[in-house]
Amino acid sequence: AVEQTVKSKLLNNFTYNNEPMVLIFGNEVEGVRQNIINYCDESIEIPQFGTKHSLNVSVSCGIVLWSLIDQVT
């Protein structure tokens, strides 16, 4: 899940191991529901500075996918 959780890893510290994965994104108001997070192996958090703690889902998706693709190339 791409979500801020107690155990989430910062995106810049997440290493993609080239294995198939499913990315779950929530919306900027409610995020990913806890019952879904409970099924996830890991949570990835996009580092943010300041008082804003949410991003538009399309922006979040672009940031995460770019980071993962950048690790492969």
Side-chain angles (χ1 to χ4, degrees), residues 39-58:
Y39 286 106
C40 296
D41 295 325
E42 295 190 58
S43 294
I44 302 170
E45 179 176 340
I46 299 171
Q48 298 178 57
F49 301 97
T51 58
K52 186 74 172 166
H53 292 286
S54 67
L55 296 170
N56 179 282
V57 69
S58 64

Side-chain angles (χ1 to χ4, degrees), residues 2 15 21 27 29-30 42-44 46 50 56-58 66 68:
V2 179
T15 303
M21 75 165 62
N27 66 47
V29 176
E30 297 177 16
E42 295 190 58
S43 294
I44 302 170
I46 299 171
N56 179 282
V57 69
S58 64
W66 177 260
L68 298 177

